[in-house]
Amino acid sequence: VFQGRILARRLVGQETRYEVEVKTPYRHRFPLVTREYVWVPNTCSCPPLREGGEYLLMARRHVNYERTLNRILLQDDGYARPWTPREDRLVREAARHC
C-alpha cells in the first residue's frame, strides 16, 4: 500500500504501464524506490488513473514461474482510490492494528 502520483501512462501490448512517483509507502512486503512502474493487465483504463493524479494504491508483486519477470501489478479489481487526507488517516490507523 502506498501513495503515488501518476507521471505517465503507456500501453504495452495488452497491458497498461503507469510510471508512478512513490510519495509515501505505508505497508510493503517488498522494497519500493521513488519511481516505480505499476502494471495493469488491460488497456481499458480499469481502474481509471489519470496522469498527474495522486492515488492510494494497493498493488501486489508479480513474479512469474521462471523468475524472469518481477513487477508491481494492480489488478482490475485492485484498490486504487484518489488520495485524500482522510485516506491517509485511515491507512495509518489500520497499520497500527495489522
Side-chain angles (χ1 to χ4, degrees):
V1 177
F2 63 95
Q3 174 195 355
R5 184 169 61 96
I6 306 299
L7 301 175
R9 175 181 177 257
R10 181 174 181 195
L11 300 179
V12 179
Q14 296 298 313
E15 298 180 307
T16 305
R17 183 184 77 184
Y18 292 97
E19 184 177 351
V20 178
E21 175 187 2
V22 177
K23 296 215 162 218
T24 307
Y26 293 103
R27 186 170 176 123
H28 50 91
R29 296 178 185 204
F30 50 91
L32 294 171
V33 294
T34 56
R35 288 207 177 175
E36 292 281 1
Y37 287 123
V38 175
W39 293 83
V40 177
N42 64 53
T43 57
C44 71
S45 297
C46 304
L49 304 175
R50 63 175 179 83
E51 290 183 38
E54 290 193 21
Y55 296 90
L56 185 65
L57 302 168
M58 185 184 318
R60 66 181 184 94
R61 183 173 157 196
H62 172 252
V63 180
N64 66 352
Y65 291 111
E66 295 85 20
R67 297 208 168 291
T68 58
L69 184 65
N70 183 352
R71 61 191 187 164
I72 299 172
L73 183 66
L74 180 63
Q75 295 175 310
D76 299 345
D77 60 349
Y79 189 84
R81 305 272 180 175
W83 184 88
T84 63
R86 180 180 179 274
E87 291 285 339
D88 179 59
R89 188 181 74 250
L90 291 173
V91 171
R92 288 185 191 277
E93 288 174 6
R96 281 188 240 142
H97 301 290
C98 297

